[in-house]
């Protein structure tokens, strides 16, 4: 349980912007990073000491990687279980395989959330068209059909209104194992980002309000406009989930706010887009917290430095960067991606209104 000394090497599975920002946070603490993933020239490669471009199931490459690092973490939750098992026999993997397996499968995730006393939308497992037809009268009339695995940013899901063509919906998801969820007419969407250290200490940021555009996170504002009871409940849910998973690192829990209730939608076993504001807006960023936790170091303080807003720069939004750079106090982050595509997260901008200037 001794903390990793400065100079230790952190292996990161996945090389996207989350890995890039993790590596940038690891450097001031004296750690070196080694990214492993299948993508050629990933964004994180520009800022790390070493990169291995290989398939997640390439055992020869994984063996060399495991031998060259002191701890392994991830920035991408859909790493195959066999990859984590292989690595875990050779080097500590944080967070562990159980947290990953829970978050990778929407059915397991919802069963788990309910088992620790959190509430979710009503749901049913759907493995066939007959299951879908049988579940619709119980879960509907409005419902969302989602693949159990590999969905993100609204991909792998179909909204079903009353009288929807169920055959077509089932085909749209390619007949993949799915769940049917009741449609939640939510008042808002929030997330709670929690950090859990190796010794079990937990800290969280206040709940974050998230606004989506085309199913992709557009804007996050913290603190979310919730009453004290809701804040306490949201933080307790995230804390309970992290504890029950014996989690190490940063975890994000997305929830729907509906009337007086909070319903867990998704658990992300990693740093999260809705926490990017913490780089400038909190005493310790989510990226530094994650590095501290996985290296066995004490957590930093998670207090906010003001009212903070983060705006994603998606696709062509990146053209706004020159103007944003001319705006005093706008913190611009670019992820080093050369190809601009619609829906692609190119960067973000954070604005902090210090407490003494909040209207
Ligand atoms: P997910 O991939 O589960 O995070 O869903 C992406 C987005 O779709 C969410 O952030 C919501 O805006 C919306 N959504 C997902 N599930 C539901 C639901 N059961 N009811 C209403 N909206 C939903």
């Amino acid at each position: 349980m001794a903390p990793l000394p400065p100079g230790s090497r952190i292996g990161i599975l996945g090389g996207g912007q989350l890995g890039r920002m993790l590596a940038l946070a690891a450097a001031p603490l004296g750690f070196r990073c080694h990214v492993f993933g299948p993508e050629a020239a990933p964004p994180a490669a520009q800022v790390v000491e070493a990169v291995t471009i290989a398939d997640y199931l390439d055992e020869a490459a994984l063996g060399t990687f495991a031998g060259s690092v002191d701890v392994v973490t991830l920035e991408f939750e859909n790493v195959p279980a066999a990859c984590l098992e292989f690595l875990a026999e050779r080097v500590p993997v944080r967070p562990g395989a159980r947290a990953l397996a829970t978050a990778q499968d929407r059915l397991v995730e919802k069963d788990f959330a309910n088992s620790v006393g959190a509430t979710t939308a009503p749901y049913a497992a759907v493995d066939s068209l007959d299951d879908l037809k049988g579940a619709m009268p119980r879960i509907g009339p409005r419902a969302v059909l989602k693949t159990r695995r590999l969905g993100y940013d609204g991909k792998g899901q179909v909204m079903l209104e009353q009288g929807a063509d169920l055959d077509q919906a089932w085909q749209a998801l390619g007949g993949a194992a799915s769940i049917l969820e009741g449609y939640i007419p939510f008042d808002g969407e929030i997330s709670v980002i929690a950090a859990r250290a190796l010794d079990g200490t937990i800290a969280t940021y206040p709940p974050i309000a998230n606004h989506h555009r085309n199913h992709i996170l557009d804007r996050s504002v913290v603190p979310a406009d919730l009453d004290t009871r809701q804040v306490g409940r949201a933080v307790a849910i995230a804390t309970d989930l992290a504890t029950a998973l014996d989690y190490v690192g940063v975890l994000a829990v997305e929830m729907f706010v509906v009337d007086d209730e909070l319903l867990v939608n998704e658990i992300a076993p990693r740093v999260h887009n809705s926490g990017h504001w913490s780089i400038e807006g909190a005493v310790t960023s989510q990226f530094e917290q994650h590095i501290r936790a996985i290296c066995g170091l004490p957590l930093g303080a998670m207090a906010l430095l003001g009212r903070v807003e983060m705006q994603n720069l998606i696709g062509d939004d990146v053209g706004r960067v020159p103007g944003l750079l001319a705006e005093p106090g706008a913190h611009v982050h670019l992820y080093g991606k050369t190809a601009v595509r619609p829906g692609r997260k190119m960067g973000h901008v954070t604005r902090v209104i210090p407490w003494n200037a909040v209207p």
Side-chain angles (χ1 to χ4, degrees):
M1 293 282 273
L4 291 183
S8 299
R9 290 185 165 80
I10 299 170
I12 304 175
L13 298 172
Q17 62 266 18
L18 302 178
R20 178 180 171 104
M21 289 184 273
L22 281 171
L24 291 171
L29 297 175
F31 298 115
R32 297 141 184 253
C33 293
H34 182 160
V35 157
F36 186 107
E39 189 197 341
Q46 297 162 13
V47 303
V48 295
E49 184 181 60
V51 184
T52 301
I53 297 170
D55 190 87
Y56 289 121
L57 296 173
D58 179 340
E59 291 198 351
L62 284 173
T64 310
F65 172 67
S68 74
V69 296
D70 301 291
V71 63
V72 168
T73 190
L74 49 111
E75 61 104 57
F76 168 71
E77 66 265 46
N78 290 315
V79 173
C83 166
L84 296 173
E85 282 159 23
F86 183 91
L87 290 171
E89 283 167 14
R90 292 160 176 82
V91 63
V93 178
R94 299 171 183 152
R98 164 136 186 265
L100 268 287
T102 305
Q104 281 175 353
D105 182 322
R106 291 185 192 271
L107 181 63
V108 177
E109 182 178 62
K110 284 207 164 43
D111 286 347
F112 166 71
N114 284 285
S115 77
V116 302
T119 314
T120 61
Y123 62 100
V126 170
D127 291 319
S128 65
L129 179 57
D130 278 348
D131 285 352
L132 177 58
K133 288 179 177 166
M136 206 49 196
R138 272 184 295 130
I139 306 290
R142 289 184 85 191
V144 191
L145 183 65
K146 301 181 181 179
T147 56
R148 282 172 61 171
R149 292 178 166 274
L150 299 174
Y152 70 100
D153 288 348
K155 294 184 175 64
Q157 47 181 280
V158 186
M159 217 46 110
L160 297 174
E161 304 291 337
Q162 191 154 23
D165 182 337
L166 300 184
D167 297 63
Q168 199 181 27
W170 180 242
Q171 276 171 30
L173 295 192
S178 297
I179 65 167
L180 185 68
E181 276 181 35
Y183 176 84
I184 305 300
F186 53 74
D187 304 313
E189 293 187 80
I190 61 163
S191 54
V192 175
I193 295 182
R196 188 165 181 275
L198 207 49
D199 68 2
T201 313
I202 298 194
T204 73
Y205 299 113
I208 304 152
N210 298 318
H211 306 275
H212 294 81
R213 207 172 12 134
N214 302 326
H215 291 283
I216 302 173
L217 182 66
D218 176 41
R219 208 163 56 88
S220 290
V221 180
V222 61
D225 185 18
L226 298 175
D227 64 39
T228 318
R229 199 194 61 83
Q230 283 175 315
V231 170
R233 179 73 190 127
V235 167
I237 290 170
T239 304
D240 290 350
L241 294 173
T243 306
L245 288 171
D246 197 19
Y247 196 85
V248 178
V250 162
L251 164 116
V253 184
E254 294 183 66
M255 304 176 210
F256 298 133
V257 183
V258 50
D259 298 325
D260 218 19
E261 257 190 301
L262 295 173
L263 305 179
V264 171
N265 177 38
E266 210 161 48
I267 303 168
R270 53 171 168 78
V271 289
H272 196 252
N273 192 172
S274 69
H276 290 0
W277 56 269
S278 61
I279 297 173
E280 291 90 8
V283 177
T284 313
S285 78
Q286 63 165 347
F287 302 101
E288 179 175 340
Q289 287 292 47
H290 187 76
I291 298 295
R292 284 172 174 250
I294 62 164
C295 292
L297 300 169
L299 299 177
M302 292 180 90
L304 306 188
L305 301 178
R307 184 181 177 280
V308 197
E309 188 171 319
M310 187 276 324
Q311 175 92 51
N312 269 336
L313 299 173
I314 296 171
D316 289 338
D317 291 347
V318 76
R320 291 173 39 216
V321 165
L324 291 168
L325 288 171
E327 181 189 322
H331 300 279
V332 175
H333 294 256
L334 291 174
Y335 304 151
K337 299 178 183 178
T338 40
V340 181
R341 286 194 292 272
R344 190 170 201 209
K345 291 175 180 169
M346 305 300 294
H348 71 267
V349 56
T350 298
R351 298 177 177 92
V352 183
I353 305 175
W355 290 124
N356 60 10
V358 171

